[in-house]
Amino acid sequence: MKKWLLLIITMVLTMTIHAQETEYTTLANKEFAQMINKKGIQFFNVHTPGEYAEKHIPEAAILDFKNPDFASKTDSLDKSQPVALYYLTGKRSKKTATMMAKKSFQ
């Protein structure tokens, strides 16, 4: 009985972990540079306006991660076109990619 209970708990935890996985790709700098130069890529910097003013990649549009309307602003973007996200450390871009993947963005 204990073995079955342990097996069931393990299966539930495994399914929960896999259900939380998202589908996005993390690219190395060189690959990312090649990607953002392609046509049809929506390229966003997820810094705040102040951070963006200090330093950013010129081709990137700002998508302020800390703006209270951030999640709703992503809803107005084109889901049929791939999205490239940039943040210096990658932390905010990963959070944004996870959220956008759940909304069926590429």
Side-chain angles (χ1 to χ4, degrees):
M1 179 71 174
K2 288 182 182 179
K3 287 182 181 181
W4 282 106
L5 184 59
L6 182 59
L7 179 62
I8 291 171
I9 291 171
T10 303
M11 288 174 51
V12 169
L13 288 174
T14 302
M15 290 185 331
T16 302
I17 290 168
H18 287 292
Q20 293 175 358
E21 288 180 4
T22 57
E23 293 192 25
Y24 64 86
T25 304
T26 301
L27 300 174
N29 291 343
K30 187 175 181 179
E31 294 171 307
F32 188 78
Q34 292 171 346
M35 179 194 194
I36 62 174
N37 289 318
K38 293 180 181 177
K39 289 185 179 184
I41 299 291
Q42 301 177 92
F43 179 32
F44 298 100
N45 181 318
V46 291
H47 286 86
T48 64
E51 294 166 334
Y52 185 86
E54 288 179 26
K55 191 173 185 179
H56 65 275
I57 299 172
E59 297 84 10
I62 188 169
L63 187 59
D64 182 3
F65 182 83
K66 292 188 176 183
N67 186 313
D69 296 330
F70 174 74
S72 63
K73 287 187 184 231
T74 62
D75 292 336
S76 65
L77 302 175
D78 186 354
K79 290 183 181 182
S80 69
Q81 298 295 317
V83 176
L85 301 167
Y86 166 75
Y87 183 70
L88 186 61
T89 64
K91 188 174 181 179
R92 289 185 205 164
S93 52
K94 285 181 182 180
K95 287 181 181 180
T96 304
T98 300
M99 184 259 311
M100 292 179 83
K102 289 179 184 176
K103 293 182 176 187
S104 301
F105 281 91
Q106 300 179 38

